[in-house]
Amino acid sequence: MLSPQHERPVEEQQPVVRRKGKHASSTENRRMVWENVVWPLVLEVNRSYFTLKEYHVKRDAFCKESGVAPSKVAGGFVSLLIKNIITRDKNIYSIHYRLIPYMRKKAPLEYGLVIREVNTKR
């Protein structure tokens, strides 16, 4: 039996497996790290900065419960640094100053809103 679109036998047609591009994967990793590690950690410590050790504890707990590789989390974290959502000073990491009001209100803060806040010119 032939497929009318491809004129190949139906049983020969393979489902197309699409992989995300580099940009989409980076965004997905940033979102995952922000929403599951960094923001919950900021709310937990109740301050706009955290130490490297605090981050490692939170990251390890997330990796253990979700089965995500630490290297994938590390890539997302570095990407947050590059986007200036997080800044580093020695072993202290701080969130962008425009995100502090959300922290004070203990608001759930999705990655999309983070990007809008950080990149908005006022």
Side-chain angles (χ1 to χ4, degrees), residues 1-16:
M1 181 173 157
L2 294 178
S3 165
Q5 296 165 336
H6 302 290
E7 298 197 14
R8 288 193 329 182
V10 174
E11 53 273 2
E12 283 183 30
Q13 291 180 3
Q14 298 290 324
V16 178

Side-chain angles (χ1 to χ4, degrees), residues 27-85:
T27 302
E28 182 180 297
N29 291 344
R30 275 194 304 273
R31 178 183 305 275
M32 173 189 62
V33 173
W34 176 262
E35 292 178 357
N36 297 303
V37 182
V38 174
W39 189 244
L41 175 59
V42 167
L43 295 178
E44 190 178 293
V45 298
N46 199 26
R47 56 181 193 259
S48 62
Y49 63 93
F50 52 91
T51 65
L52 184 59
K53 188 173 183 177
E54 290 168 332
Y55 167 73
H56 282 161
V57 169
K58 192 72 171 174
R59 178 203 62 192
D60 292 345
F62 169 70
C63 289
K64 188 174 182 182
E65 79 180 30
S66 67
V68 175
S71 60
K72 195 170 185 181
V73 175
F77 189 74
V78 169
S79 198
L80 288 170
L81 285 164
I82 292 167
K83 288 274 189 187
N84 291 322
I85 295 168

Side-chain angles (χ1 to χ4, degrees), residues 104-121:
R104 290 190 179 132
K105 292 178 185 174
K106 296 209 177 284
L109 188 54
E110 292 181 354
Y111 177 72
L113 183 56
V114 170
I115 288 293
R116 283 192 294 279
E117 281 293 329
V118 170
N119 293 332
T120 301
K121 305 279 189 264

Side-chain angles (χ1 to χ4, degrees), residues 83-96:
K83 288 274 189 187
N84 291 322
I85 295 168
I86 300 172
T87 55
R88 177 180 175 218
D89 185 28
K90 297 184 181 151
N91 282 343
I92 303 290
Y93 294 87
S94 304
I95 60 172
H96 193 277

